[in-house]
Amino acid sequence: MPPALRSLRRLALLALTAAALTMRTADGAITLSADFDQGGLDLANSSVAGTTVTLAGRDNFNPGQWKWLYFRADGVAGLTPQFRIGDNFNTGASSLAGHAMVYSYDQQSWEFFDNNTLSTSQDTFAFSNQQPFNGDSVYVAYGLPYPTERVAADVQSRASSPWVSPTTTGDASLVIGASPGGIDDLGRTIGPHDLYGYKLTDSASPATTKKKVVLFGGVHANETLGNYTLEGLVDFLDGDSPEAARLRRLAEFYVYPMVNPDGRFAGYNRSTVESPTVDPNRAWDPPLYDSVDEVRTVATAALTDTGGDVDYVIDFHSTVNGKEGHFGYVLPAYQSDPLWQNFLDLEPSVRTLTALLQDDTGAKFGRDQLNAEFSITLETQFLAGENIDRFLALGANLGLAFEQTLRIAGDLNFDHALDAADWQLFLAGADADLSQLSAVDAYAAGDLNGDGFNDLIDFDLFKSAFLTAHGPAALAALLAGVPEPTSLPLATLASTTLAGVAAARRHR
Ligand SMILES: [Zn+2]
């Protein structure tokens, strides 16, 4: 064969090989699956043609409408697939306007797709990337997933925290019961899951003076962002900051992180698996709880664990109804509550929407059954560009807001009052070496500004706080009993209330 012919033949072979490669993808080298924790896809009605992937959402709870999507695509390395799904979204196609789908290679860190287009004329939402995938398997979801295994791992890690303990209804593994499991809409058997509850506080201050806070999460199957926000709050509460250390002495937190693990595991749109037609956030109605076992278990545990008289309840949800940003459903009477106002100061973009507490929601249960003075639903939204760190930070700011709300400057024994007992602690700390103490123990000994000493600066801070709280006469009375701090007759002050001191001075 002449050399020219040989190279022609080689070119033809190369062309054939290239054609074969293209054929392989055109034949459907991309495969789809969703049989994993929180996977959600109607696989039977989805299809792949080349790099065009047509998806069908599952329509449990609202027939003909989807509200969650989470699947794995294999065989995508080097490809830029075009994904599309119908715009028959549960709260209307307009809810998809401005939405961005996410993808991940490891189910841990997530990125937003580059191109996300709602076409109401074609009844589709299409999404794709500019660059090819660099891994062969990619996970794709409607929003940042939060599978049940993340809850289990998080609770397991909390169990060894010095601040976490079982509740009355819980065991050493922080388990308060089990979900019922069931058969899901795809015919799969979903096994029971542990239901968790635990208490987070610092036992160095007595339970009798602490505020009680109840936190619910994971009521709605697809509302994963609420779980991230709750996790961020618990990270803060369980953390090393001086604010968290003070807050743990001011309050005890009862955490029920996942009310609906079956629905979450099965990748459901909203409901539990056992009661697929019941909205679990309309089932907080004792004593029957609409026969939603998970809600009944968690609600009755919260009643038993707390004694049914708490101060705050926050139910962590996410909404998919729009892209206007995160908000709280807040009863008008609660909207000026210092906790909510402090949170808004830290998170100015969070909006306040009015709740009426007429439906049998977790928030209504908080007010009516747990007798909370403040009970709200916190709604976070899937917003393009807002990733996991955003929701963890949102939760941490809620923790800061709690500390700012509950702390009283100079309240050294954390009993929510600034009085003579704190003054005694302050004076006792004036001669003590605080250098080896933790920040919160130093604070309890009069180091109000956190510099490691109880000195004149702290004395001025204490006096200023006392003046603000009780006025000049009471401050003068307090100080009059103490000509010189180092020679204070502690025993006499210990047996004398501040009011008593003030009254005695008035009668002179
Ligand atoms: Zn919800």
Side-chain angles (χ1 to χ4, degrees):
M1 195 183 295
L5 211 54
R6 269 209 299 273
S7 45
L8 261 181
R9 194 179 136 87
R10 199 178 298 129
L11 270 176
L13 273 172
L14 276 172
L16 264 176
T17 313
L21 280 174
T22 311
M23 283 297 289
R24 262 187 45 218
T25 56
D27 280 350
I30 297 176
T31 56
L32 307 175
S33 58
D35 200 13
F36 51 83
D37 192 348
Q38 217 199 342
L41 177 70
D42 178 355
L43 193 59
N45 289 302
S46 301
S47 59
V48 178
T51 55
T52 298
V53 180
T54 303
L55 305 159
R58 284 159 71 191
D59 69 346
N60 48 72
F61 195 72
N62 287 96
Q65 299 172 335
W66 64 279
K67 211 174 182 180
W68 178 247
L69 176 76
Y70 185 15
F71 63 92
R72 191 178 75 223
D74 294 303
V76 297
L79 302 179
T80 51
Q82 306 290 308
F83 298 99
R84 54 189 59 208
I85 185 168
D87 69 350
N88 52 326
F89 193 76
N90 171 233
T91 51
S94 63
S95 295
L96 295 169
H99 185 73
M101 300 280 190
V102 295
Y103 69 95
S104 169
Y105 296 109
D106 61 5
Q107 295 176 287
Q108 302 294 319
S109 63
W110 293 85
E111 303 290 333
F112 291 85
F113 276 93
D114 296 328
N115 314 307
N116 297 272
T117 309
L118 171 66
S119 170
T120 43
S121 63
Q122 294 178 45
D123 295 327
T124 58
F125 184 88
F127 53 104
S128 63
N129 275 334
Q130 296 294 108
Q131 300 297 323
F133 288 117
N134 56 35
D136 203 47
S137 295
V138 66
Y139 290 85
V140 176
Y142 167 78
L144 305 164
Y146 196 112
T148 60
E149 62 195 19
R150 183 163 177 140
V151 184
D154 189 65
V155 171
Q156 195 177 10
S157 76
R158 304 291 174 201
S160 59
S161 163
W163 319 120
V164 169
S165 59
T167 63
T168 306
T169 60
D171 65 16
S173 301
L174 312 179
V175 173
I176 59 166
S179 63
I183 308 291
D184 79 355
D185 61 324
L186 301 175
R188 302 179 301 178
T189 298
I190 306 298
H193 289 82
D194 286 335
L195 294 169
Y196 300 105
Y198 57 90
K199 186 164 77 172
L200 196 159
T201 192
D202 180 350
S203 57
S205 59
T208 48
T209 60
K210 280 176 182 154
K211 301 289 184 186
K212 289 183 179 177
V213 183
V214 171
L215 308 171
F216 296 125
V219 174
H220 283 140
N222 68 333
E223 298 184 0
T224 56
L225 301 180
N227 285 97
Y228 281 112
T229 310
L230 174 54
E231 185 185 308
L233 170 57
V234 175
D235 280 344
F236 172 86
L237 299 174
D238 200 12
D240 295 331
S241 70
E243 291 86 357
R246 288 197 291 269
L247 182 54
R248 288 192 294 262
R249 296 204 180 178
L250 290 162
E252 49 190 25
F253 293 82
Y254 294 84
V255 188
Y256 305 92
M258 179 59 75
V259 177
N260 177 13
D262 294 352
R264 180 65 58 85
F265 182 87
Y268 265 31
N269 290 319
R270 190 167 177 87
S271 67
T272 70
V273 171
E274 191 197 37
S275 304
T277 60
V278 180
D279 183 335
N281 206 30
R282 303 292 182 273
W284 295 77
D285 54 348
L288 295 177
Y289 299 98
D290 278 347
S291 299
V292 179
D293 282 9
E294 298 90 330
V295 172
R296 181 169 50 231
T297 299
V298 173
T300 54
L303 278 167
T304 302
D305 295 339
T306 64
D309 188 10
V310 311
D311 298 282
Y312 299 90
V313 173
I314 299 181
D315 190 9
F316 292 80
H317 285 245
S318 324
T319 178
V320 293
N321 298 353
K323 303 297 173 196
E324 298 83 10
H326 315 306
F327 63 93
Y329 271 130
V330 188
L331 195 72
Y334 302 153
Q335 290 178 5
S336 58
D337 189 283
L339 173 67
W340 188 243
Q341 290 303 318
N342 284 328
F343 181 56
L344 295 183
D345 285 348
L346 292 164
E347 290 286 353
S349 68
V350 171
R351 299 171 303 140
T352 305
L353 270 61
T354 294
L356 300 176
L357 298 190
Q358 289 173 341
D359 294 329
D360 288 317
T361 60
K364 181 168 182 274
F365 178 86
R367 181 193 63 179
D368 295 350
Q369 304 299 323
L370 294 172
N371 293 298
E373 275 70 47
F374 179 88
S375 186
I376 67 162
T377 309
L378 187 62
E379 297 275 5
T380 38
Q381 289 190 332
F382 295 107
L383 301 177
E386 294 210 356
N387 219 315
I388 289 171
D389 56 344
R390 168 71 183 114
F391 298 97
L392 296 178
L394 194 69
N397 274 337
L398 187 54
L400 270 180
F402 264 113
E403 197 271 338
Q404 292 172 1
T405 304
L406 298 181
R407 77 171 176 217
I408 298 174
D411 175 21
L412 303 188
N413 62 1
F414 305 102
D415 69 349
H416 305 278
L418 174 57
D419 53 23
D422 301 305
W423 180 229
Q424 287 178 55
L425 291 171
F426 186 86
L427 292 170
D431 290 328
D433 177 7
L434 309 182
S435 61
Q436 301 304 310
L437 300 182
S438 69
V440 68
D441 283 334
Y443 184 92
D447 176 19
L448 272 67
N449 68 344
D451 65 356
F453 300 98
N454 171 341
D455 55 19
L456 278 175
I457 301 168
D458 303 296
F459 185 48
D460 283 341
L461 289 170
F462 191 98
K463 280 191 298 185
S464 167
F466 203 92
L467 181 67
T468 304
H470 301 294
L475 177 63
L478 190 76
L479 299 180
V482 193
E484 283 176 52
T486 48
S487 60
L488 173 75
L490 279 177
T492 56
L493 195 59
S495 60
T496 313
T497 65
L498 177 63
V501 171
R505 281 186 63 81
R506 276 200 303 275
H507 286 119
R508 264 178 214 161

